[in-house]
Amino acid sequence: MNAPTFEIPAELRDFAEKSVEQARTAVTNLLGTVVKSAEQLQTSSTTVHGAIQSVIAKGLDQVQTNASTTFDFAQKLVRTRDPKEAFELQSEFLRSQIATLQAQAKDLGALAQSAAKGV
């Protein structure tokens, strides 16, 4: 006894083959989009990281400058001979520090804006 032979119709094989190719194309396109998105995210992350590092470095530089200026002022203050001289020195220091802090805030603001534009 011979077993009946069953052959898959050519149309069904063609349809299955086309379906597999379409699925392959869809998955390939999806993976390409995912890879592209991941690369963009990585680039954006790198940009943000660099911007944060710049802001931190600038801030630390400003802190160091302010500390040095304050210690210089304190050293001058302890050398004053009378209250009038101490008051004048303190007034000068305060005016200078206000101007310095305004300039530093402006610098940090500009740095933050350029970082935001880069993102």
Side-chain angles (χ1 to χ4, degrees), residues 1 6 11-12 19 23 32 34 50 60 65 74 79 83 89 105-106:
M1 286 200 170
F6 179 76
E11 296 84 15
L12 188 56
S19 295
V34 168
L60 290 174
T65 298
R79 293 180 184 156
L89 186 64
K106 185 178 176 181

Side-chain angles (χ1 to χ4, degrees), residues 12-72:
L12 188 56
R13 286 193 313 263
D14 288 343
F15 176 75
E17 190 174 328
K18 286 178 186 176
S19 295
V20 169
E21 283 304 313
Q22 287 175 348
R24 179 189 309 267
T25 301
V27 169
T28 300
N29 290 341
L30 175 65
L31 290 176
T33 301
V34 168
V35 167
K36 188 181 289 185
S37 295
E39 288 170 349
Q40 289 174 342
L41 181 61
Q42 185 177 9
T43 300
S44 177
S45 174
T46 301
T47 302
V48 169
H49 186 263
I52 289 171
Q53 284 183 324
S54 295
V55 170
I56 290 171
K58 185 70 163 178
L60 290 174
D61 184 48
Q62 290 177 352
V63 167
Q64 188 175 18
T65 298
N66 293 341
S68 177
T69 302
T70 301
F71 283 116
D72 290 346

